Amino acid sequence: MKRHAILAMALAAAISWTTNAGAADVQIHGFVFGCQLPSGERLKPKFGDVGGVFFTGLPERREACHQMIDRMTYSCRENVTFISHDENAKYPECLRIFQTQARKCVSHFELQRSKCDAGGDASGGSGAAGSGQPSAGGDVSGRWVIHRKAGGSINDRMVSTCGFGTHNKFEVRNGKVHGQVVSGGKVIDDREMTGWRLESVDSSQILFRDGDGLAWRYNRCR
């Protein structure tokens, strides 16, 4: 299903470790925009597709990686019209499609943001593994956003408060993790996170580990 594919694309990419100890290369996958006309012609918004990139040299280039994700999500949000006013007037139905795709695009890149923390002591994969069971009294309810390192830009603070309107919701049922992506008040993805297990959770942060051993940390929205 299309809405499941967005999240699957973001989570399925494996991290490729370099031969240098503690260093990592990661693949940030791009997002495809498009509006198909009855004739079969496929039109693109003003920025076209938001391309991906193969990012090297982590963890040393971690902040540059986060900044790159910021630029990608900015492009997503702005990619809601054609470059021509005439086309905007001619294809109003495409503008609605672009707006929906823009929200999914933001979610797509935010879900990949933790890849920027790969490599070295701060990598997601280097955290101590738990038992895979929820911490005593742990509460996974509420709104969560992907973890960002301290000392970043004002965008980091906006993300930590769900200021961009895109966040995650989680539920553990029968030992299986189920996740939603919510953007603009709408659920744009809802699926079982196959292979994920809950490592730990407290009042401010939650830690999952996927089937490849990569850790995914989320902060509770303030």
Side-chain angles (χ1 to χ4, degrees):
M1 295 177 66
K2 290 184 178 180
R3 64 174 187 169
H4 290 176
I6 301 299
L7 187 57
M9 288 171 61
L11 299 182
I15 283 186
S16 172
W17 301 96
T18 67
T19 55
N20 295 328
D25 302 336
V26 298
Q27 179 72 50
I28 305 296
H29 292 268
F31 186 89
V32 176
F33 278 80
C35 172
Q36 187 165 336
L37 302 181
S39 65
E41 182 183 5
R42 190 169 181 83
L43 304 180
K44 298 285 187 179
K46 58 183 177 181
F47 296 143
D49 300 334
V50 180
V53 65
F54 187 72
F55 207 89
T56 62
L58 297 170
E60 287 80 6
R61 300 182 65 202
R62 178 176 294 115
E63 184 57 31
C65 181
H66 281 301
Q67 291 173 357
M68 177 192 64
I69 296 288
D70 289 341
R71 290 192 294 271
M72 288 173 165
T73 57
Y74 174 82
S75 296
C76 293
R77 294 186 184 90
E78 295 296 311
N79 212 18
V80 293
T81 63
F82 293 104
I83 196 168
S84 162
H85 293 299
D86 291 339
E87 284 186 302
N88 290 338
K90 186 176 181 180
Y91 304 110
E93 68 280 4
C94 286
L95 303 186
R96 292 189 290 271
I97 291 173
F98 293 154
Q99 288 171 358
T100 298
Q101 291 176 340
R103 292 194 296 269
K104 293 182 178 181
C105 180
V106 170
S107 172
H108 171 75
F109 286 111
E110 288 294 348
L111 282 165
Q112 297 185 89
R113 188 183 287 278
S114 65
K115 293 180 180 180
C116 295
D117 295 330
D121 294 338
S123 85
S126 65
S131 64
Q133 299 299 319
S135 302
D139 179 14
V140 301
S141 65
R143 302 182 304 162
W144 302 87
V145 286
I146 197 72
H147 175 65
R148 294 290 304 272
K149 298 298 179 184
S153 69
I154 190 172
N155 287 345
D156 298 339
R157 293 192 291 275
M158 291 186 69
V159 170
S160 70
T161 59
C162 287
F164 289 144
T166 300
H167 59 274
N168 299 86
K169 291 186 175 181
F170 297 104
E171 184 179 4
V172 179
R173 302 196 299 264
N174 299 320
K176 297 181 179 179
V177 178
H178 295 257
Q180 290 184 342
V181 179
V182 183
S183 181
K186 297 180 180 180
V187 176
I188 64 173
D189 217 312
D190 187 356
R191 68 192 296 267
E192 177 186 334
M193 314 302 289
T194 305
W196 280 40
R197 66 181 187 272
L198 177 61
E199 292 284 334
S200 64
V201 58
D202 57 30
S203 61
S204 61
Q205 192 172 95
I206 193 169
L207 169 64
F208 296 104
R209 197 170 298 278
D210 66 19
D212 294 323
L214 178 65
W216 295 79
R217 293 180 175 85
Y218 294 82
N219 295 336
R220 191 184 295 275
C221 293
R222 296 197 297 268

